[in-house]
């Protein structure tokens, strides 16, 4: 909503500087997003073109002698429409124009020019509002030597308000004036509206067949002559961002901006009936609206009809066939209120949001409906030469009484944390022009109909606090003691991130919405997707099941920018039809160009990522993890360098190298990833540890280098070692794996370090030797292992 | 005889002085103090001397031997010292060469700010509540006093999944869920961080996905002044101790009164600059007292309880505090960006 200062001044005396006023409004009423001169120009004067000749040396330029009151200036003008005897806007030497342009005396093709004749565009008035080409020609009565901005009613200050939906009352100059009065004082002048009705009776009868139209007022004005509006109306409409059309249409917009009530004006003779009936549209009913589009209506839409057919889409747009045209002489003024929800639905469905529909949606002052129709009739009389027929025909089901809202001083203090005195509260209500009475600290407040947003004591609290000033609210803290802490899963999520950060992985945050392909690429179970009905783009249409496709995209992005040292992780949700799952995914690029003079960068492989997974699971106190070969038909992982991660017989994630084909198609180097579904494991209870005794007796360490078939996994060999071992065997570690043709085909050497220890005694060498022999016997039996001779 | 020995002593002294390594010194020791040394021979010869000469001679030889022994000891210490000295010198490194890089990952800037705010509020007795991002219209809007077709729904364009479910547009539904779960109406203080989604065209300041932290306090005596004090502390924690805040009237259907909160500009300290567009103030968050209608719908008696709530956009805080030029940077994950905030 844009308001102009001069317009406001018709309703309220303003004695303070407008920047101060705007700041007060900003702090007490609503956000002021723009405050500026309507036309920000200096050094303009009305001039009269005395002579206009061709420039001696330029075919398209004119050499003009322009009387600017105290002197005559030679000005070169390029506009094709300049002629002698015209009154024009002259920018004098030194003048500043809104585009930052300063006028200087200049020589153009050998001839001096001492100023500029201006177009409206050059005054900063957008072309869409006037559609004039060339210079602006003033009326012949324009006073030479005077200020053209004042003459054109452009000498105004505009204030753009960023309004919230509750303050429908501020969508009019009168409404803003009421609030200005509350916050800055100044005497108010309510509009004096007088209609001079003639004796001929208003022939229109109005009816409703719907509950969607609580009130409808109709007046008829005849003998109007449709033409351009006077300049002051046009200037004010333009200042408020509305394009002038003709005097009749402009009046309806003017009244809306002034009083907040949208109006619609019909060409009376085209209505073709003596009645107006408001009803719901019929299924399949059609109406060609003012914009010449045929609209298919549904039953929820409200229409204005002539008793037979729809002539307007109520509150949204008029019908084409009853539009006011240059030939119109008799108009019907409609001033009505409609069900906000239906107006909202219709305007949204047809994509026809307008200044009118927004006002209907947000709610009108039912006491302005009659006021506005009279104001419009009055202006049609004075500006279009119209004559108003006798009587307003209407129906009105609004209760036109003030709403009563109660507020106790105690509640006010309790809610605000500030002790307000009765005098302070009285003062606010007086400033707001709210009638009230108070007894025993209880206020009974009569809220005027212009403030439909005030319904509860909380609403009154807001009025008092804002007008008295938010700056007067003290600063305190909540008094009740509560315990603040992170939940188990929140603590664990932070701990997991710390582990990955400590290992040099950077955290990423990527979009939850991805393309359909990315959403399910790493979903091995192909679970059903969740799709957005109204996506921004196809790339952001589906909620992801896995974070990995996003991490791969981050890698590609960075590789393309020569940044190849990529180790990243993300913690975020996977979205499934049965709920959201917390996921943790990581990606590490194996080759990178980062180098140090002494320490070559560590080679990344499957076991780097497996180590990360093990560290993460250890943090979550999960000791029994199995890594199983991945059985899948999807070519996502390298079949030999990947594993499913199994905890308690459930697959909770994957780790491995990306499939070389996938790496290739995304132009990636060797890349390793893992992803874990944390949903079952994040908030498990971790028992507090109790100390285990540290044995006083020495441990004995033995190394075993075994020669076995390739097919035996390290895991199975460790299990085989443990199978026949006594409790003295404390630890089995793999310390070397080696393959060579010399060992024999399909053979490998794998070396284990075994640690033996007893709580109660020092182990004898012979004892351990015996146990080793037993283990070896068992190994040679079960996996045909032999001791490798080094 | 004695002069001869004195000469040998002088010769020995000179040689010890010149000795440059421990081997040489060992040789000298053997030469002058060993069994075959001139001094040992002289001791043998002493037997031939007269009784009167003998003690004097013996004393002198012992003194010479002691002197040489001391000298040898000193020379040895010196050489050892020199050897160590030399060794240390040879081991010297170019201390200006770079150290072994310890690679630490960078926490995403948005996470850093979320954790910073979480830590502040946990310290003040708040717990952290989380909730689903795919949310029911009922919790995202209706129970927040935003019935269907309310004009205020325009303030938050949504991504719908079905007519009744959508991607949450704010983390307020978590507050509703927390209140509903809190059947026994005990006072509580929570913050709700999380991802939210708006169906807005994207530009430097708008992203369809961003993070928000909302706070809710419900108690018998929670007041607007408590909100103001809490927000002042938050502003100072995030933007420095000198910050001031101001409240301006605003509107959210779920709070009444509703306010926009500005902080005094942290770049110009309120004097006016390009960041604050010359006003000295920067809009940072929305807040208010919980609307009675919201309390009632969530099962709280508004006659007994009142509450405050606020919501802050995490990326906005990051943009303002760290001079980030485009909100989309947070989601691109250009590592040259992410790693700046390690």
């Amino acid at each position: 909503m844009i308001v102009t200062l001069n317009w406001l001044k018709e309703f309220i005396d303003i004695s303070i500087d407008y920047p101060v006023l705007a700041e007060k409004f900003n702090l007490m009423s609503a956000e002021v997003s723009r405050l500026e001169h309507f036309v920000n120009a200096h050094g303009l004067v009305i001039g009269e073109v005395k002579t206009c000749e061709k420039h001696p040396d330029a075919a398209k330029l004119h050499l003009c002698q322009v009387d600017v009151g105290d002197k005559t200036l030679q000005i070169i003008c390029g506009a094709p429409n300049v002629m002698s005897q015209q009154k024009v806007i002259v920018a004098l030497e030194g003048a500043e124009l809104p585009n930052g342009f300063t006028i200087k005396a200049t020589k153009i093709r050998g001839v001096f020019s001492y100023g500029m004749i201006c177009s409206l565009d050059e005054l900063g008035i957008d072309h869409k509002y006037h559609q004039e080409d060339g210079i602006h020609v003033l009326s012949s009565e324009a006073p030479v030597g005077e200020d053209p901005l004042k003459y054109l009613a452009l000498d105004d200050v505009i204030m753009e308000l960023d309004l919230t939906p509750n303050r429908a009352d501020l969508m009019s100059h009168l409404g803003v004036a009421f609030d200005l009065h509350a916050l800055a004082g100044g005497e108010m002048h309510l509009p004096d509206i007088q209609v001079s009705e003639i004796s001929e009776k208003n022939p229109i009868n109005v009816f409703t067949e719907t509950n969607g139209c609580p009130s409808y007022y109709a007046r008829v004005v005849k003998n109007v002559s449709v033409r351009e509006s006077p300049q002051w109306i046009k200037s004010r409409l333009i200042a408020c961002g509305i394009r002038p059309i003709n005097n009749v249409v402009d009046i309806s917009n003017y009244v809306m901006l002034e009083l907040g009530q949208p109006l619609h004006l019909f060409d009376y003779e085209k209505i073709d009936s003596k009645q107006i009936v408001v009803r719901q549209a019929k299924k399949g009913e059609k109406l060609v609206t003012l914009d010449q589009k045929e609209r298919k209506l549904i039953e929820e839409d409200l229409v204005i009809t002539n008793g037979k057919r729809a002539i307007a889409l109520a509150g949204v747009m008029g019908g084409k066939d009853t539009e006011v045209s240059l030939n119109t002489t008799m108009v019907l003024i409609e001033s009505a209120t409609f069900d906000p929800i239906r107006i909202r639905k219709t305007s949204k469905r047809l994509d026809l949001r307008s200044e009118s529909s927004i006002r209907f949606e947000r709610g009108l002052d039912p006491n302005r409906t009659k006021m506005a129709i009279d104001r419009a009739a009055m202006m049609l009389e004075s500006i279009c030469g119209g004559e108003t027929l006798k009587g307003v025909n209407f129906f009105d089901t609004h209760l036109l009484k003030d709403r009563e809202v109660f507020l106790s001083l105690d509640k006010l203090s309790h809610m605000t944390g500030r002790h307000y005195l009765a005098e302070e509260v009285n003062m606010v209500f007086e400033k707001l022009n709210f009638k009230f009475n108070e007894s025993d600290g209880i206020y009974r407040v009569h809220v005027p109909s212009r403030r439909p947003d005030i319904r509860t004591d909380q609403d009154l609290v807001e009025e008092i606090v804002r007008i008295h000033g938010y700056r007067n609210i003290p600063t305190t803290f909540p008094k009740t003691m509560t315990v603040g802490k992170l939940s188990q899963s929140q603590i664990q999520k932070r701990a997991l991130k710390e582990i990955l950060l400590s290992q040099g992985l950077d955290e990423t945050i990527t979009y939850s919405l991805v393309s359909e392909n990315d959403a399910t690429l790493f979903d091995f179970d192909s679970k059903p997707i969740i799709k957005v009905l109204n996506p921004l783009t196809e790339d952001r249409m589906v909620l992801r099941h896995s974070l990995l496709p996003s991490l791969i995209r981050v890698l590609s992005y960075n590789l393309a920018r020569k940044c190849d040292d990529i180790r990243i992780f993300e913690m975020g949700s996977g979205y499934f039809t049965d709920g959201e799952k917390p996921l943790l995914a990581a990606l590490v690029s194996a080759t990178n160009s980062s180098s140090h003079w002494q320490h070559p960068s560590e080679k990344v492989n499957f076991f780097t990522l497996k180590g990360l997974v093990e560290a993460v699971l250890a943090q979550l106190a999960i000791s029994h993890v199995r890594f199983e070969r991945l059985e899948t038909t999807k070519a996502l992982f390298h079949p030999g360098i990947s594993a499913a991660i199994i905890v308690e017989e459930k697959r909770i994630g994957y780790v491995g190298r990306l499939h070389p084909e996938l790496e290739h198609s995304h132009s990636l180097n060797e890349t390793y990833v893992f992803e874990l579904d944390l949903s079952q494991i994040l908030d498990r209870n971790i028992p507090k540890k109790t100390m285990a005794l540290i044995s006083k007796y020495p441990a004995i360490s033995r190394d075993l280098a075994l020669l076995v078939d390739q097919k035996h996994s390290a895991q199975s060999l460790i299990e085989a070692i443990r199978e026949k071992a006594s409790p003295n065997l404390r630890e089995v570690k793999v310390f070397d794996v080696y393959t060579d043709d010399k060992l024999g085909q399909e053979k490998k050497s794998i070396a284990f370090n075994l640690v033996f220890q007893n709580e109660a005694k020092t182990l004898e060498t012979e004892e351990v030797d015996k146990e080793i022999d037993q283990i070896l016997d068992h190994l040679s039996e079960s996996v045909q292992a032999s001791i490798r001779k080094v | 005889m004695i002069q001869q020995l004195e000469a040998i002593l002088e010769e020995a002294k000179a040689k010890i002085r010149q000795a440059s390594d421990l081997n040489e010194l060992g040789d000298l020791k053997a030469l002058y103090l060993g069994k075959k040394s001139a001094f040992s021979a002289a001791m043998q010869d002493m037997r031939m001397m007269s009784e009167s000469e003998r003690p004097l001679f013996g004393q002198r030889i012992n003194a010479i031997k002691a002197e040489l022994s001391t000298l040898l000891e000193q020379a040895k210490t010196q050489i050892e010292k020199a050897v160590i000295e030399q060794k240390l010198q040879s081991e010297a490194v170019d201390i200006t060469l770079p150290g072994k890089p310890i690679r630490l990952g960078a926490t995403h800037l948005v996470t850093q700010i979320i954790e910073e705010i979480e830590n502040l509020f946990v310290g003040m007795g708040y717990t952290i509540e989380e909730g689903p991002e795919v949310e029911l219209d009922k919790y995202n809007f209706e129970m927040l006093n935003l019935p269907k077709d309310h004009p205020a729904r325009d303030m938050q364009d949504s991504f719908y999944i079905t007519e009744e479910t959508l991607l949450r547009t704010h983390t307020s539904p978590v507050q509703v869920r927390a209140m509903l779960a809190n059947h026994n109406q005990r006072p509580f203080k929570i913050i709700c961080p999380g991802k939210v989604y708006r169906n807005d065209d994207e530009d430097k300041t708008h992203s369809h996905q961003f993070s928000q932290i909302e706070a809710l306090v419900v108690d018998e005596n929670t007041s607007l002044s408590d909100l103001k004090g809490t927000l002042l502390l938050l502003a100072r924690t995030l933007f420095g101790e000198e910050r001031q805040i101001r409240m301006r009237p605003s509107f959210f259907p779920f709070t009444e009164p509703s306010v926009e909160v500005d902080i005094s500009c942290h770049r110009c300290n309120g004097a006016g600059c390009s960041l604050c567009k010359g006003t000295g103030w920067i809009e940072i968050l929305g807040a208010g007292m919980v609307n009675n209608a919201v309390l009632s719908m969530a099962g709280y008696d508004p006659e007994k309880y009142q509450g405050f709530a606020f919501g802050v956009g995490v990326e906005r805080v990051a943009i303002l505090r760290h001079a980030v030029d485009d909100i989309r940077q947070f989601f691109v994950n250009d590592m040259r960006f992410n790693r700046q905030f390690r």
Side-chain angles (χ1 to χ4, degrees), chain A residues 561-574:
Chain A
R561 282 153 189 81
K562 302 269 178 283
C563 186
D564 62 359
D565 184 16
I566 299 301
R567 302 166 176 219
I568 49 179
F569 76 94
E570 180 158 347
M571 197 176 271
S573 293

Side-chain angles (χ1 to χ4, degrees), chain A residues 508-651:
Chain A
T508 66
I509 297 178
T510 53
Y511 295 126
S512 311
L513 285 170
V514 297
S515 67
E516 189 163 348
N517 185 52
D518 277 8
T520 55
L521 187 63
F522 277 84
D523 175 6
F524 290 92
D525 304 323
S526 302
K527 295 200 178 103
I529 51 165
I530 302 175
K531 224 180 210 178
V532 168
L533 293 176
N534 53 337
L536 278 172
T537 62
E538 291 224 330
D539 285 352
R540 308 265 168 259
M541 188 165 71
V542 180
L543 285 163
R544 60 186 173 185
H545 286 180
S546 162
L547 308 175
L548 290 176
S550 304
L551 294 188
I552 290 170
R553 290 190 184 280
V554 170
L555 174 62
S556 294
Y557 178 95
N558 283 282
L559 288 177
R561 282 153 189 81
K562 302 269 178 283
C563 186
D564 62 359
D565 184 16
I566 299 301
R567 302 166 176 219
I568 49 179
F569 76 94
E570 180 158 347
M571 197 176 271
S573 293
Y575 308 83
F576 299 90
T577 46
D578 58 346
E580 290 160 38
K581 291 180 177 165
L583 303 176
L584 174 63
L587 176 152
V588 178
S589 175
T591 50
N592 71 70
S593 58
S594 76
S595 55
H596 184 254
W597 61 276
Q598 192 177 35
H599 302 276
S601 60
E602 192 200 348
K603 175 79 178 130
V604 169
N605 59 28
F606 174 81
F607 300 99
T608 317
L609 274 275
K610 187 179 174 188
L612 291 175
V613 169
E614 286 168 335
V616 161
L617 294 177
Q619 170 64 35
L620 298 172
I622 294 168
S623 46
H624 298 291
V625 195
R626 254 184 20 247
F627 291 84
E628 285 184 358
R629 279 222 186 277
L630 202 48
E631 307 290 343
T632 169
T633 49
K634 285 192 173 190
L636 297 169
F637 282 107
H638 188 302
I641 313 178
S642 59
I645 302 161
I646 315 287
V647 170
E648 287 162 6
E649 299 312 312
K650 266 202 192 126
R651 191 182 61 205

Side-chain angles (χ1 to χ4, degrees), chain A residues 52-64 75-80 82 107-112:
Chain A
C52 177
E53 295 157 6
K54 277 219 159 93
H55 187 289
D57 197 22
K60 288 188 176 165
L61 296 180
H62 303 272
L63 184 58
C64 307
I75 297 174
I76 294 173
C77 179
V82 66
K107 214 175 187 177
I108 302 171
R109 295 236 175 176
V111 184
F112 269 102

